[in-house]
Amino acid sequence: MKSRVIKIIMLLIGGCIIGVTLSGLSVVVMHKTSSNNYCISCHTQHSLIPKNAQFSHFNNPAGVSVKCVDCHIGPDVGNYLSAKISGLGDAIKYMSIKNFDSKEWIDENRKELAGIALEHIANNNSESCISCHVKIKKDLPIS
């Protein structure tokens, strides 16, 4: 009887250790895949890249520099996980479509890409836009 209880306790402790380890690893991976450097390692033609940085979300009088996740991920956990899953699709396209994300490919697919972006904004009720722009309107610091 005692050996059975010890086995159960050991399994529970082992499960907890594995669970905590996997949770911690997930947090690290999510954090690392949310940096601008990670995003532009595939999205090589994006306007956040310093050589392309001509848009107001990067170069503006307020000195505010927007990160990829500020626009592409809504402000809650569900949006965060959804964006990460969508990012897997981008990774698959990057590896399987010839010249994916080249200037030529983007120009050819601009209408479809714009439609996807507008759908994303509509689906989250512009939360990612509003979260910063409300602060701008009220003259609050953006952080």
Side-chain angles (χ1 to χ4, degrees):
M1 179 77 163
K2 271 188 172 183
S3 66
R4 186 172 188 190
V5 170
I6 291 173
K7 284 180 184 179
I8 291 172
I9 291 172
M10 294 302 285
L11 282 172
L12 287 172
I13 291 171
C16 288
I17 290 171
I18 291 170
V20 167
T21 302
L22 290 176
S23 294
L25 188 58
S26 295
V27 169
V28 169
V29 168
M30 293 287 197
H31 178 70
K32 293 284 186 186
T33 60
S34 294
S35 71
N36 282 353
N37 285 338
Y38 179 82
C39 296
I40 63 176
S41 67
C42 294
H43 296 276
T44 57
Q45 296 298 318
H46 198 281
S47 53
L48 273 179
I49 299 172
K51 69 179 182 174
N52 301 334
Q54 302 165 1
F55 78 122
S56 62
H57 286 93
F58 187 80
N59 186 6
N60 58 66
V64 175
S65 185
V66 178
K67 295 178 279 191
C68 301
V69 296
D70 294 335
C71 294
H72 292 277
I73 299 179
D76 65 26
V77 174
N79 286 323
Y80 192 79
L81 293 175
S82 174
K84 292 301 175 181
I85 291 167
S86 174
L88 285 175
D90 284 349
I92 291 168
K93 289 176 189 172
Y94 183 75
M95 292 183 281
S96 63
I97 297 175
K98 186 177 180 185
N99 297 323
F100 175 72
D101 212 39
S102 67
K103 182 167 179 7
E104 294 77 22
W105 189 90
I106 291 172
D107 288 343
E108 286 175 26
N109 295 279
R110 187 167 304 280
K111 189 172 184 174
E112 179 187 350
L113 296 170
I116 292 168
L118 290 172
E119 182 181 343
H120 169 72
I121 290 168
N123 286 343
N124 72 17
N125 296 321
S126 305
E127 287 177 284
S128 23
C129 305
I130 292 168
S131 64
C132 287
H133 284 270
V134 153
K135 293 175 184 175
I136 293 169
K137 188 173 181 178
K138 292 180 179 180
D139 202 24
L140 297 171
I142 300 170
S143 57

